[in-house]
Amino acid sequence: MRLVALSGSLRARSSNGAVLRSALAFFDGPATTADIAALPHFNPDLDGEGATPPEPVAALRATVAAADALLVVSPEYAHGIPGALKNALDWLVSSGECVDKPVAVITASPFPTGGDHANAQLREVLRMMTGQVVMDACREIPAIGPKIDPTTERVTDEATLNDLRTALHALTTAAAATGPAPTAEATTTA
Ligand SMILES: Cc1cc2nc3c(=O)[nH]c(=O)nc-3n(C[C@H](O)[C@H](O)[C@H](O)COP(=O)(O)O)c2cc1C
């Protein structure tokens, strides 16, 4: 089973990046974190029938297509989805790599109640893209600051680690039930 992760934060010392790395430690298989920082702004003129996508877009699509499950870990900006992450998702709408793909959404915030808006919006967008949002694998993590070791940049809070472990288990269980992503060969010959 292959997993692809998207981080909604481009920050070098991102708390969501720390959550993502800590979550992936509970995944027993190949995992890739897709690079969304290099993507151009989504433009439907570059996304038409037969258009050759910009190279970073093609790379993102190939990475997501090859994965059996998708993990999205993100902060919330102004009660919404960070623009860089929404941009990445927009590039995946028409090409369909998220269709039927089991998806987990995890948001982490420094605030006691933060992240719920972005979490709900991400689930809505991914459902619209006909991804299979696995609710048992979705988490909102409040007050993330002291739950991370600043040296290792990993989650150290036991309750949060336990939560991430059960979330990853729910995601991989859903992915196992859905079956593997089609191979590139099957996709091109279909
Ligand atoms: C422009 C901006 C807007 C933000 N808006 C929110 C918000 O609406 N809700 C929230 O929980 N945190 C908000 N934050 C705080 C972020 O959650 C915080 O900076 C967090 O550390 C970002 O995630 P990261 O550490 O993964 O980069 C905002 C931060 C910035 C820079």
Side-chain angles (χ1 to χ4, degrees):
M1 184 181 297
R2 292 151 299 174
L3 183 64
V4 63
L6 296 179
S7 172
S9 175
L10 305 185
R11 218 160 61 81
R13 291 178 62 80
S14 161
S15 55
N16 282 273
V19 169
L20 189 158
R21 289 187 293 277
S22 302
L24 289 185
F26 295 118
F27 178 67
D28 186 21
T32 309
T33 301
D35 178 15
I36 65 167
L39 294 170
H41 291 159
F42 176 71
N43 179 346
D45 287 345
L46 304 177
D47 191 40
E49 188 85 5
T52 302
E55 196 283 323
V57 174
L60 173 71
R61 288 175 174 172
T63 303
V64 176
D68 306 304
L70 174 63
L71 171 65
V72 178
V73 184
S74 182
E76 173 176 289
Y77 288 160
H79 284 189
I81 302 170
L85 178 58
K86 182 60 166 61
N87 185 54
L89 294 176
D90 286 345
W91 279 115
L92 298 171
V93 172
S94 71
S95 49
E97 289 80 9
C98 291
V99 171
D100 294 336
K101 194 157 309 251
V103 185
V105 174
I106 298 177
T107 48
S109 168
F111 304 125
T113 58
D116 53 331
H117 299 282
N119 199 298
Q121 290 167 27
L122 280 162
R123 285 185 272 119
E124 175 63 22
V125 168
L126 288 158
R127 279 196 194 102
M128 191 276 157
M129 294 165 70
T130 63
Q132 182 197 144
V133 175
V134 182
M135 282 308 294
D136 285 351
C138 294
R139 298 287 186 279
E140 293 166 9
I141 306 176
I144 188 66
K147 297 174 180 172
I148 293 172
D149 180 323
T151 306
T152 61
E153 294 187 61
R154 295 287 192 283
V155 172
T156 47
D157 177 68
E158 278 303 323
T160 305
L161 285 172
N162 207 32
D163 222 13
L164 292 175
R165 183 186 294 110
T166 56
L168 264 286
H169 183 257
L171 180 62
T172 53
T173 300
T178 302
T183 61
E185 197 177 312
T187 309
T188 46
T189 54

